[in-house]
Amino acid sequence: MKRSEVNREELSPMMLQYFSIKDRYMEELLFFRLGDFYELFFEDAEVTSRELELTLTGKNAGLKERIPMCGVPHHSAKSYIEKLINKGYKVAICEQLEDPRFTKGMVKRDVIEVITKGTMVDLEFLNERDFNYIGGIIDYNYAYLLTYVDISTGEVNSVMINHNNDSLLNEILNLNLKEVIVKNDFSLEIINILKNSYNINISINDEILEDEYTSIYEDVEDERIVYGIKNLLYYLHVKELKDLSHLSKVNILKRDDYLEMDVHTIRNLELIETLRLKERRFSLIWLLDKTKTAMGARTLKTWLMNPLKDKTEINKRYDYIETLNNNFLLREEMRNDLYEVYDLERLCGKIICGSLNARDVLQIKNSLKVLPDIARIIDELKFDFKIELHRELFDLLEKAIYEEPPISVKEGYLIKPGYNQELDELKEIRSGGKEFISSIESIEREKTGIQNLKVGFNKVFGYYIEVTKGQIDKIDPSLGWERRQTLTGAERFITPELKEKEALVLNAEEKIIDIEYNLFSEIRDILRKNVFALKETAKVLSEIDVFASLSIASEEYHLIRPKITDDRSISIIEGSHPVVQEVSQNTYIKNDIIMDEDTTTLLITGPNMSGKSTYMRQLAITVILAQMGSFVPAESCAMPIFDRIFTRIGASDDLVSGESTFMVEMLEAKNALVNATENSLILFDELGRGTATYDGMSLARAILEYISKNIKCKTLFSTHYHELTDLDKDYPDIKNVHVEAVEENGSITFLHKVSAGAVDKSYGIHVAALAGMPESLLKRASEILSVYESESKKDTPSIHAEQISFALEEEHKDEVKEMLKEINPLNTTPLEALNILYKLKEISRK
């Protein structure tokens, strides 16, 4: 049965209430609270039962037939909700707004929260080392405005992006946005790419939120940015029902302040995850991350993804690392303290969102406990960080909250003795009553002589005295016992005295839970008032944690302080790729990268597997580390500030869009050639290999000439086209280097050492031999190679910079290919197939 098929006049009152709420949340799966369960009905039930593999049952709703229903216990609903969210669904939580104990008639219910991928705040389900951003895009036709928020931490950012689809997609993918909000007239092309290719949730919102949370944007003069923030706030506050009181002032980012890297560069350089397995292990951030706090890990990622261009700020970061290296005992002491600090940023989010429990409060208290010691160490290091100690808040939490409270805030055992007088008195009454009740058993046994008499309790009858059937005649009527329940082998009684004490204990228990909850709510309100101060402390701690992490990494991997120069020369002596070096241990060969002021391009030749790609990545990684403020892997390093890095490394088809390897190559190359400036860095690995030899060679030569003539930026270009190595004769800014290899007795040894000059020989057949190709195949390949090389020397004309021409070999008809083109397998009979096979065999013999 569908919801749209229901005659609402026949529905029960409770289901009418459900319909009135569901009408407002058509897109969401409505978790409707009924007692100890969240129930889902109609289409919501069918979807949820399928996705979570739950049993689909039915419910009487006043109709002739039962309606579809499934449910989950409210105490374990989080895990079910998380699974649905990760599958791309939105979940609306409908709670009981009244206590059923004190309500006559039907309990009021309404949605208190809508949960989506971008608005989850539960620490249990968030990646502590990454952000959980939701973003809003406004298309101004000449530019895109992207506003993005992490609800769990309260961070708000805004950035203006060129009106270019690739630039927008790069920003969204680099930020790893979980959900995107757009206006109704937004580009369907981009929406489909985000939804279908990258599984990003898309929601539509044309409204803006006026006169609320103005502190976020009150200092912003650009009305475009203000509008973008208001648009996103409306979605979060009105549609998602989020309390946004903890959101910080917007941070307006200027892309020109940072080294720009597109999504291909970040992927090719394996900054965040590896190319093959998509795992954090063996990525650059895996190597650098020695942080002790979740906040520090997230800050480290931000720095890595946004290297600086401000020389002063970069050197300031170097100074902090150097100071920590020189004071390693204080550094270790500080890191031990940081290990005790929990995720204050996200705990602040839980304070505002109302999901904070007593264990979270304990985490805040334990984080505050180490602040005085961290502040002392910072003073000794003479760092210009200021940390608020929050002494009063710590003292309050130390005095109030039990060390091992329950998860629920409505079970009692939250507040310590001595915090509240009324609570202490009630606890004494409860304690005395329980002691009296436990003593009744021995008193009544003595009175009656019934040794197996016992006192028990259940929720229906409260406290009772139980006597077996065989001992009933020993009960004296003068005792005044009142029979309350008859069992198969026993009778249960109550006494006036027992009921009096029961009322005392149960009333005290109920009052204790209520008072503890109210006291806890007061503490939560106090924390709420301190949220921004706590977030500022969290920010300082996260930065200190990153500096300590980079300091540890510099010692562990023998990194050195680079020198940022004002000229355009690069001098990296004994440099390395830090991840490859760490994984390969003692077998790694270090290399120099030297490009003087007048050298724009290093043309790199050498066999496959010799280390050309690693050499190229090494330079990009060194630049990124240097500009994020980290030390770098080298004996010495001097380099300028770069504004952008472009890479084309490795071959991969874009299966989603149906683009071939070569088309992807050309698109990425075009992106570099169009957007690079004189201060950019380009890495092209074997560009042109995705097409025919002469096509590829021609394009590679034209691209190298274009960079040299028009862009003049630092470029590393690896190639197997040895014909390109003569470019240095016409272009003095292009230098040849090669990766050394030694050939002995038909076998090859890769030295992984880069030296000046070019190689004039390929080693593809040797690499095939290393891969274990059949000996006969390798022999035949060598014979064919000899023929090709002799013909190439005979037929290939000389190539000059201003006049490029290639002598194309005369195309010979391939008889086998021609036959294969004519065959239609669908219309070929078995007999015809045998005849064709015979003819092909005859041709092959010729």
Side-chain angles (χ1 to χ4, degrees):
M1 177 183 287
K2 304 293 183 186
R3 200 166 57 87
S4 58
E5 300 169 355
V6 171
N7 181 356
R8 299 195 182 193
E9 293 179 0
E10 298 176 359
L11 289 171
S12 64
M14 191 275 289
M15 286 309 296
L16 275 172
Q17 184 189 51
Y18 167 82
F19 267 75
S20 68
I21 296 170
K22 179 62 184 173
D23 287 344
R24 292 184 280 125
Y25 296 93
M26 301 291 285
E27 294 181 6
E28 294 79 10
L29 299 174
L30 184 62
F31 274 55
F32 192 76
R33 180 72 178 271
L34 288 175
D36 290 336
F37 280 79
Y38 286 116
E39 305 287 4
L40 298 99
F41 305 106
F42 298 102
E43 291 90 341
D44 286 2
E46 292 170 354
V47 169
T48 303
S49 64
R50 182 182 69 247
E51 295 289 2
L52 299 181
E53 298 180 356
L54 299 174
T55 302
L56 184 66
T57 61
K59 180 179 177 64
N60 292 320
L63 305 173
K64 292 178 182 178
E65 62 178 292
R66 289 161 66 84
I67 65 171
M69 181 189 83
C70 74
V72 298
H74 88 277
H75 61 81
S76 60
K78 282 183 180 179
S79 59
Y80 294 106
I81 292 170
E82 186 216 5
K83 288 177 184 176
L84 291 169
I85 298 301
N86 288 336
K87 288 174 179 284
Y89 295 99
K90 299 179 180 181
V91 173
I93 307 297
C94 180
E95 284 288 358
Q96 297 173 170
L97 303 182
E98 298 173 315
D99 191 329
R101 295 175 300 169
F102 311 117
T103 304
K104 291 183 179 180
M106 191 165 55
V107 175
K108 288 182 181 177
R109 295 180 178 86
D110 207 347
V111 172
I112 62 163
E113 181 182 19
V114 176
I115 307 173
T116 60
K117 269 188 183 179
T119 59
M120 293 181 72
V121 294
D122 200 310
L123 274 63
E124 188 179 346
F125 302 126
L126 293 174
N127 180 351
E128 66 173 11
R129 295 185 173 273
D130 202 357
F131 297 97
N132 196 62
Y133 288 131
I134 179 172
I137 305 171
I138 303 295
D139 185 352
Y140 285 115
N141 295 320
Y142 56 86
Y144 291 113
L145 175 74
L146 176 62
T147 306
Y148 56 99
V149 173
D150 186 338
I151 296 289
S152 66
T153 65
E155 178 188 340
V156 184
N157 299 284
S158 181
V159 60
M160 200 70 77
I161 302 166
N162 292 332
H163 202 264
N164 175 285
N165 289 1
D166 288 339
S167 298
L168 178 62
L169 290 170
N170 278 329
E171 196 73 30
I172 291 170
L173 297 175
N174 287 347
L175 290 169
N176 193 22
L177 293 188
K178 302 297 190 296
E179 188 174 357
V180 170
I181 316 303
V182 297
K183 299 190 74 175
N184 206 43
D185 58 355
F186 190 70
S187 164
L188 282 176
E189 179 190 354
I190 298 177
I191 288 175
N192 288 330
I193 291 172
L194 293 175
K195 284 178 69 175
N196 301 329
S197 300
Y198 299 106
N199 194 29
I200 295 174
N201 280 19
I202 306 292
S203 296
I204 308 295
N205 172 51
D206 289 336
E207 306 295 326
I208 62 172
L209 186 69
E210 295 283 9
D211 304 324
E212 285 194 67
Y213 308 117
T214 55
S215 61
I216 298 169
Y217 54 82
E218 61 186 358
D219 299 328
V220 180
E221 295 179 358
D222 192 328
E223 287 299 320
R224 299 171 303 172
I225 294 173
V226 172
Y227 181 88
I229 295 169
K230 288 180 176 180
N231 176 260
L232 184 56
L233 290 179
Y234 182 92
Y235 176 82
L236 295 172
H237 183 66
V238 177
K239 292 193 173 184
E240 302 270 288
L241 304 175
K242 301 298 180 187
D243 185 338
L244 307 175
S245 307
H246 66 305
L247 295 191
S248 306
K249 287 183 182 296
V250 63
N251 178 32
I252 300 173
L253 299 171
K254 294 180 180 176
R255 273 282 146 248
D256 287 344
D257 293 342
Y258 304 98
L259 169 67
E260 286 191 45
M261 302 177 287
D262 62 21
V263 67
H264 306 295
T265 298
I266 290 167
R267 183 189 66 200
N268 288 334
L269 297 177
E270 300 182 307
L271 300 186
I272 304 301
E273 63 181 18
T274 56
L275 269 170
R276 181 172 293 180
L277 299 178
K278 307 295 182 187
E279 292 180 351
R280 193 173 193 268
R281 182 174 170 80
F282 301 131
S283 66
L284 183 60
I285 198 167
W286 163 80
L287 189 86
L288 294 178
D289 192 354
K290 314 294 179 184
T291 56
K292 293 292 187 180
T293 69
M295 306 171 295
R298 293 194 295 270
T299 301
L300 176 65
K301 182 183 177 184
T302 300
W303 287 15
L304 179 59
M305 297 288 279
N306 297 278
L308 302 172
K309 287 164 62 178
D310 185 327
K311 182 178 175 182
T312 303
E313 188 61 34
I314 292 170
N315 277 306
K316 190 176 179 183
R317 289 183 180 180
Y318 294 160
D319 291 340
Y320 284 128
I321 295 171
E322 201 159 56
T323 301
L324 288 167
N325 287 352
N326 294 333
N327 295 273
F328 56 88
L329 292 177
L330 284 175
R331 181 191 65 196
E332 289 311 305
E333 199 178 335
M334 183 172 69
R335 294 182 81 234
N336 290 335
D337 287 333
L338 287 169
Y339 186 70
E340 303 298 322
V341 176
Y342 291 84
D343 197 340
L344 279 177
E345 280 184 330
R346 284 185 167 158
L347 287 169
C348 286
K350 292 191 76 174
I351 292 169
I352 298 300
C353 296
S355 58
L356 194 80
N357 60 39
R359 294 185 186 181
D360 296 327
V361 175
L362 272 184
Q363 291 185 356
I364 293 173
K365 185 196 81 172
N366 292 333
S367 300
L368 301 183
K369 185 177 180 179
V370 296
L371 292 185
D373 201 45
I374 293 175
R376 173 188 61 79
I377 294 169
I378 287 173
D379 286 342
E380 289 188 41
L381 292 169
K382 295 182 172 55
F383 283 178
D384 55 352
F385 290 106
K386 296 297 178 186
I387 294 182
E388 186 177 338
L389 301 182
H390 306 281
R391 292 189 188 276
E392 290 184 10
L393 190 57
F394 173 78
D395 292 340
L396 170 72
L397 303 182
E398 174 71 14
K399 184 181 177 183
I401 305 296
Y402 270 119
E403 297 303 325
E404 295 182 1
I407 294 176
S408 171
V409 295
K410 294 186 177 180
E411 293 180 14
Y413 201 73
L414 299 174
I415 307 299
K416 285 181 178 178
Y419 183 76
N420 180 274
Q421 185 177 349
E422 182 184 1
L423 181 62
D424 290 345
E425 289 173 359
L426 283 168
K427 286 182 177 178
E428 284 182 20
I429 291 170
R430 179 182 66 179
S431 177
K434 284 186 174 180
E435 286 175 9
F436 176 79
I437 288 168
S438 64
S439 69
I440 284 179
E441 193 169 85
S442 57
I443 293 169
E444 297 299 336
R445 282 179 181 178
E446 191 174 331
K447 279 184 185 179
T448 61
I450 303 172
Q451 293 306 308
N452 61 355
L453 173 152
K454 62 181 181 182
V455 174
F457 174 83
N458 67 33
K459 290 184 177 180
V460 178
F461 297 108
Y463 287 99
Y464 55 79
I465 297 172
E466 185 174 293
V467 179
T468 59
K469 289 282 179 74
Q471 303 291 321
I472 295 295
D473 56 354
K474 293 184 180 181
I475 300 173
D476 192 330
S478 64
L479 292 173
W481 289 14
E482 181 183 336
R483 182 180 275 103
R484 189 43 77 87
Q485 186 182 16
T486 299
L487 304 176
T488 304
E491 296 283 347
R492 288 176 175 175
F493 302 86
I494 60 169
T495 71
E497 193 175 23
L498 191 60
K499 293 308 291 180
E500 181 186 340
K501 289 297 182 182
E502 175 192 273
L504 192 69
V505 170
L506 294 183
N507 286 339
E509 191 81 50
E510 200 170 281
K511 286 182 180 178
I512 285 169
I513 289 173
D514 287 342
I515 290 174
E516 288 207 345
Y517 178 73
N518 291 334
L519 291 172
F520 182 78
S521 296
E522 290 175 8
I523 292 168
R524 195 156 51 190
D525 288 340
I526 294 169
L527 285 168
R528 189 186 184 96
K529 293 174 183 175
N530 285 271
V531 157
F532 286 104
L534 288 169
K535 283 177 64 178
E536 187 58 34
T537 299
K539 182 176 183 295
V540 174
L541 292 176
S542 69
E543 291 188 6
I544 293 169
D545 195 13
V546 173
F547 284 124
S549 175
L550 295 176
S551 172
I552 291 290
S554 72
E555 287 191 356
E556 192 169 327
Y557 307 122
H558 310 291
L559 312 181
I560 58 99
R561 177 171 181 156
K563 181 182 179 184
I564 303 298
T565 62
D566 294 321
D567 60 27
R568 296 187 61 248
S569 62
I570 296 173
S571 175
I572 300 172
I573 306 302
E574 291 289 289
S576 65
H577 188 303
V579 179
V580 178
Q581 183 177 6
E582 176 64 15
V583 173
S584 60
Q585 296 297 325
N586 297 327
T587 60
Y588 189 89
I589 305 298
K590 297 182 178 182
N591 278 297
D592 300 344
I593 301 177
I594 299 174
M595 301 177 77
D596 60 29
E597 186 92 23
D598 299 323
T599 302
T600 61
T601 302
L602 292 184
L603 185 58
I604 310 164
T605 49
N608 284 320
M609 290 177 55
S610 60
K612 297 192 301 296
S613 297
T614 301
Y615 182 74
M616 297 171 74
R617 286 188 175 99
Q618 168 188 325
L619 175 57
I621 293 291
T622 303
V623 168
I624 291 166
L625 287 174
Q627 290 188 218
M628 74 174 279
S630 168
F631 285 13
V632 301
E635 289 296 321
S636 68
C637 173
M639 65 172 61
I641 297 285
F642 289 90
D643 61 3
R644 295 177 178 183
I645 296 179
F646 299 94
T647 66
R648 173 59 204 171
I649 299 174
S652 58
D653 287 7
D654 188 341
L655 299 178
V656 174
S657 62
E659 290 172 351
S660 68
T661 298
F662 185 65
M663 176 56 83
V664 173
E665 270 192 10
M666 292 300 101
L667 288 171
E668 292 182 14
K670 180 216 68 170
N671 181 47
L673 299 176
V674 169
N675 295 300
T677 72
E678 187 181 24
N679 297 316
S680 299
L681 173 64
I682 293 177
L683 308 178
F684 282 159
D685 187 18
E686 298 183 30
L687 198 66
R689 64 183 168 181
T691 186
T693 302
Y694 289 123
D695 274 355
M697 196 187 307
S698 304
L699 281 165
R701 178 177 287 269
I703 286 169
L704 282 164
E705 292 181 348
Y706 184 88
I707 292 171
S708 178
K709 288 180 179 179
N710 299 289
I711 305 175
K712 303 183 185 300
C713 67
K714 298 298 183 187
T715 303
L716 266 58
F717 194 112
S718 74
T719 186
H720 283 296
Y721 300 137
H722 302 125
E723 294 83 352
L724 300 180
T725 57
D726 65 357
L727 277 166
D728 63 343
K729 297 172 185 174
D730 296 306
Y731 296 93
D733 59 321
I734 298 178
K735 303 292 184 188
N736 284 306
V737 296
H738 70 279
V739 187
E740 295 180 13
V742 176
E743 185 182 354
E744 289 181 327
N745 302 321
S747 65
I748 186 171
T749 302
F750 301 125
L751 301 182
H752 302 290
K753 194 69 180 174
V754 177
S755 300
V759 294
D760 56 1
K761 183 177 181 180
S762 293
Y763 295 90
I765 294 174
H766 296 84
V767 174
L770 291 175
M773 286 284 191
E775 189 66 36
S776 59
L777 183 151
L778 296 171
K779 185 178 179 183
R780 177 59 180 152
S782 297
E783 293 170 358
I784 295 169
L785 178 63
S786 299
V787 174
Y788 280 153
E789 285 180 339
S790 62
E791 288 183 358
S792 175
K793 289 174 184 175
K794 187 168 56 183
D795 297 338
T796 304
S798 59
I799 302 169
H800 300 285
E802 302 301 329
Q803 183 181 0
I804 301 172
S805 63
F806 293 97
L808 298 177
E809 292 179 346
E810 191 175 318
E811 191 174 330
H812 297 285
K813 283 191 176 181
D814 188 321
E815 200 173 346
V816 173
K817 283 184 180 179
E818 293 298 318
M819 261 191 85
L820 290 173
K821 284 179 185 178
E822 298 298 321
I823 298 170
N824 184 346
L826 297 178
N827 297 328
T828 304
T829 66
L831 183 60
E832 289 172 340
L834 285 171
N835 288 330
I836 291 169
L837 185 61
Y838 178 80
K839 288 179 183 177
L840 289 171
K841 192 170 181 182
E842 286 299 310
I843 292 169
S844 69
R845 281 178 181 169
K846 294 177 185 176

